[in-house]
Amino acid sequence: MLKPSDNKVRTPHRSYYSLVIAVAKRARQIAEKAEEDGEILTEKPVDLAVHDFVDNKFKIIEPDSFEDE
């Protein structure tokens, strides 16, 4: 299976760290839902999460700036 490169998911203004955190959170959601439903996943939750972001099913929202208030 071909893995999408990070530049297909990440736009220039988004950080790589945000992408990793978002994929990890989505993968946990997928794994927890499968466990609750008693479903056996044939693909890894991380692969499914990455494809969710590539297919624009989920979007990463970052603040415009990290200024202290």
Side-chain angles (χ1 to χ4, degrees):
M1 178 172 110
L2 294 174
K3 306 275 184 195
S5 64
D6 71 326
N7 52 348
K8 285 188 178 180
V9 180
R10 186 171 61 100
T11 58
H13 67 278
R14 292 198 178 120
S15 70
Y16 187 74
Y17 179 78
S18 296
L19 173 63
V20 170
I21 296 300
V23 168
K25 284 183 178 183
R26 179 65 187 135
R28 279 193 301 265
Q29 290 174 346
I30 291 168
E32 288 172 358
K33 175 117 172 69
E35 187 175 337
E36 288 173 3
D37 296 344
E39 180 182 346
I40 297 173
L41 297 175
T42 56
E43 288 188 64
K44 294 181 179 179
V46 172
D47 289 338
L48 296 171
V50 168
H51 287 291
D52 281 351
F53 286 103
V54 169
D55 297 338
N56 289 322
K57 293 179 183 176
F58 289 85
K59 295 186 183 205
I60 301 169
I61 299 172
E62 292 181 348
D64 292 333
S65 65
F66 294 100
E67 296 176 8
D68 293 331
E69 294 181 8

